[in-house]
């Protein structure tokens, strides 16, 4: 499937068509099982307005943060879980129930 270019897109803050993909350093504070974790991501993918600087988190941003949390906790990444399930002959549809 061909990806449609979504940039530039509109900024909700300054109402201009100046939002582009960017990579920013980000520190996330996440609570997991009652414990606060501080996660540092050097290059978080976000959408950012080049006019006013407003930052928009995307699905990719969320995926990066989740992967960083899993890494800090020593948990398997999604791709690793799917690979191991495949090695055991378990289909993704069975895993998802």
């Amino acid at each position: 499937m061909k990806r449609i270019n979504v940039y530039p897109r509109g900024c909700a803050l300054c109402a201009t068509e100046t939002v582009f993909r960017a990579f920013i350093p980000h520190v996330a504070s996440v609570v997991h099982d009652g414990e606060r974790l501080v996660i540092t991501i050097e290059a978080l993918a976000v959408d950012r307005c080049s006019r006013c600087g407003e930052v928009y988190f995307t699905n990719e941003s969320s995926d990066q943060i989740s992967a960083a949390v899993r890494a800090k906790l020593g948990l398997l990444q999604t791709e690793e879980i799917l690979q191991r399930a495949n090695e055991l002959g378990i289909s993704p549809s069975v895993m998802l129930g």
Side-chain angles (χ1 to χ4, degrees):
M1 177 163 59
K2 184 178 177 182
R3 184 182 164 126
I4 299 171
N5 188 5
V6 296
Y7 301 107
R9 68 178 187 83
C11 177
L13 189 63
C14 70
T16 61
E17 293 287 320
T18 52
V19 174
F20 295 91
R21 187 168 190 230
F23 296 90
I24 63 169
H26 181 71
V27 177
S29 179
V30 180
V31 177
H32 177 78
D33 286 342
E35 179 183 342
R36 182 165 303 281
L37 303 172
V38 176
I39 308 293
T40 301
I41 301 172
E42 293 181 20
L44 182 67
V46 296
D47 287 353
R48 181 174 57 197
C49 179
S50 60
R51 181 168 182 252
C52 71
E54 182 74 357
V55 173
Y56 299 91
F57 287 82
T58 64
N59 289 342
E60 185 178 0
S61 308
S62 178
D63 291 345
Q64 277 186 273
I65 293 168
S66 293
V69 169
R70 295 180 75 77
K72 183 154 189 154
L73 293 170
L75 301 174
L76 293 174
Q77 298 294 332
T78 303
E79 300 80 18
E80 295 171 310
I81 294 169
L82 292 174
Q83 178 184 354
R84 290 187 184 186
N86 186 49
E87 291 168 358
L88 294 170
I90 302 170
S91 72
S93 59
V94 169
M95 289 179 59
L96 297 174

